[in-house]
Amino acid sequence: MDINVTPHPEGCLLDLKAQPGARKTEFRGIQNGALKVCVTEVAEKGKANKAILSFLRKTWRLKGSQLEIISGQTASHKRLLIRDLSPQKVLQLLKDCGLEDE
């Protein structure tokens, strides 16, 4: 899987490509090493970021404190800190969501 998941002292980092204002909230594959996530919320006042975090928490069954956008809050390219999970575990979660090698 050609995705950027790197170790971090608290867990790991994952590159995200956000697409706000989509028709439905879903994963849209891997794009340039980043997980592409589409959400129906618009990109204003952090609504899209909240929707992305909520979608990932629900999909991956994580606690709220485990996910944090650490850079790119106002950009489409974001860096996500996933606490208490190894890069291998995150890759397994992606595989479980049907995001195999593309």
Side-chain angles (χ1 to χ4, degrees):
M1 194 177 304
D2 193 25
I3 187 161
N4 297 330
V5 183
T6 53
H8 181 275
E10 293 183 48
C12 65
L13 297 171
L14 174 68
D15 289 345
L16 281 184
K17 168 86 170 89
Q19 183 182 331
R23 268 195 217 140
K24 68 188 254 193
T25 298
E26 64 183 350
F27 292 119
R28 195 68 64 74
I30 312 291
Q31 188 178 61
N32 299 325
L35 174 62
K36 187 166 183 186
V37 181
C38 299
V39 291
T40 56
E41 291 290 344
V42 292
E44 65 179 40
K45 298 180 184 160
K47 288 180 185 174
N49 287 346
K50 283 187 184 123
I52 289 168
L53 292 174
S54 174
F55 172 63
L56 294 176
R57 278 186 203 113
K58 202 158 76 175
T59 304
W60 293 342
R61 295 184 182 93
L62 299 176
K63 288 186 235 121
S65 60
Q66 283 184 273
L67 293 177
E68 181 185 344
I69 296 171
I70 59 167
S71 68
Q73 276 81 358
T74 59
S76 63
H77 284 86
K78 304 175 183 304
R79 206 101 206 264
L80 182 71
L81 171 60
I82 306 169
R83 292 185 177 89
D84 307 323
L85 291 184
S86 67
Q88 294 78 14
K89 180 65 179 154
V90 171
L91 289 172
Q92 187 59 52
L93 287 171
L94 293 170
K95 209 176 262 194
D96 293 348
C97 293
L99 295 161
E100 298 285 341
D101 291 336
E102 302 192 353

